[in-house]
Amino acid sequence: MQLSLASKRARIAAAGAALAVGAGLYTAGAASAEHSVPRTDKEIPNLTKVTDKIKAYYGDTTDKNGQHYASPDSNYAKQVADIQKKAKAQLEKAVKNQSGKKGAPKPAIVLDVDDTTLLTYNYELQQGFHFTPESQDAYLKSTDMAPVFGMPQLVNWAQSKGITVFFVTGRDEHQRGWSVRNLKSAGYKPAADTAHFFLKNKKTPPAYLPCGATCTTVEYKAGTRKHIESQGYRIVGNFGDQYSDLQGGYAQHTYKLPNPMYFLP
């Protein structure tokens, strides 16, 4: 997840204005797309209260070491379960429709990593919702993130139905080993090998991305999905926690997982 300065600022601000919009916290006269610069402090949601709401939404629990975890009984977990139920039904239908058709593309799903397959909640709280590449490296190197509730089961089920699983993340190529280790420990059975796991490589960007090292999130992810489909696959489901994970086409269905912690354009 190597970000531009603008993207980093977007993450930092996410616990404020962007998050509050999603949570419906703004009142009349609040900053909007047309009035983006607040004129008084009253137009800005209180950061502590926003953080408290985020923690309540995730059902914040802590262990004896002070590590934070989301609760499987939280409203977050319930919302994710509803999305997964819809996705499973649509994936079953897609597999049936393609079954037995000669020369039909192979069904595949694409999944983002952070807050789509692995939950960054504990990391975000530790950093005060302030992402830096250095803190992310230190965390990923030493700590495994918990899986997003229900996602290993959904992904493993998809694989059992003959759906090929691809992971496409904004994490940097140098974070591959830590990420693969974490996906395995979280219970994901599909192989996250080089052919099925795409990370950003700014030093040696792949030839199939015309934008090279300067790709936006949408260009990088859509371009990678296009590359996957060029290999004879039909992406029947694309899962992400950011709209930028899902835009740009090359997927039959898209599934937006909830994430009130940060926003990536």
Side-chain angles (χ1 to χ4, degrees):
M1 207 186 331
Q2 299 296 319
L3 305 176
S4 66
L5 180 60
S7 295
K8 290 174 187 174
R9 286 175 176 169
R11 288 188 65 120
I12 295 168
L19 295 181
V21 170
L25 300 180
Y26 273 4
T27 54
S32 66
E34 293 75 34
H35 181 205
S36 58
V37 179
R39 294 176 181 175
T40 75
D41 65 306
K42 293 181 177 62
E43 296 179 13
I44 305 171
N46 182 279
L47 191 58
T48 300
K49 290 183 178 179
V50 172
T51 301
D52 288 345
K53 282 183 177 289
I54 290 172
K55 291 171 75 172
Y57 170 66
Y58 280 97
D60 183 67
T61 58
T62 55
D63 63 16
K64 60 183 180 181
N65 299 315
Q67 300 293 305
H68 288 261
Y69 296 94
S71 166
D73 300 319
S74 63
N75 287 335
Y76 165 74
K78 291 172 185 174
Q79 189 176 357
V80 168
D82 286 342
I83 295 165
Q84 291 164 350
K85 184 178 179 181
K86 178 184 176 183
K88 189 174 182 180
Q90 289 182 328
L91 292 179
E92 276 188 309
K93 191 178 291 185
V95 171
K96 280 182 184 178
N97 289 342
Q98 286 191 235
S99 180
K101 289 183 179 178
K102 249 189 174 181
K106 296 169 285 187
I109 57 173
V110 167
L111 302 111
D112 173 52
V113 174
D114 291 308
D115 295 298
T116 299
T117 50
L118 301 175
L119 187 58
T120 71
Y121 180 69
N122 183 54
Y123 164 76
E124 293 291 346
L125 281 184
Q126 281 192 12
Q127 301 305 314
F129 304 105
H130 179 70
F131 168 87
T132 66
E134 295 77 17
S135 68
Q136 190 196 41
D137 272 0
Y139 192 93
L140 296 181
K141 187 176 182 179
S142 63
T143 311
D144 280 345
M145 294 177 175
V148 171
F149 296 114
M151 286 305 289
Q153 292 83 351
L154 178 64
V155 171
N156 296 342
W157 167 84
Q159 184 188 46
S160 74
K161 294 295 181 180
I163 299 174
T164 303
V165 177
F166 292 90
F167 299 95
V168 180
T169 177
R171 290 185 182 187
D172 191 76
E173 178 62 37
H174 80 275
Q175 298 172 322
R176 179 182 292 274
W178 307 328
S179 303
V180 170
R181 181 203 70 214
N182 198 162
L183 287 168
K184 286 181 179 178
S185 72
Y188 292 96
K189 292 180 181 178
D193 55 21
T194 306
H196 297 88
F197 191 15
F198 296 86
L199 298 91
K200 269 194 172 179
N201 192 336
K202 289 188 176 180
K203 291 182 180 177
T204 338
Y208 58 78
L209 290 176
C211 46
T214 64
C215 288
T216 64
T217 301
V218 174
E219 289 171 334
Y220 159 64
K221 295 215 166 185
T224 304
R225 292 195 302 273
K226 180 180 180 181
H227 171 67
I228 291 170
E229 290 204 334
S230 75
Q231 297 178 317
Y233 293 95
R234 174 71 172 112
I235 297 172
V236 294
N238 179 25
F239 295 78
D241 64 290
Q242 302 291 319
Y243 289 109
S244 53
D245 295 330
L246 309 175
Q247 294 165 347
Y250 304 103
Q252 187 174 354
H253 296 289
T254 59
Y255 302 99
K256 169 69 171 66
L257 276 73
N259 182 0
M261 295 186 290
Y262 55 87
F263 168 73
L264 297 176

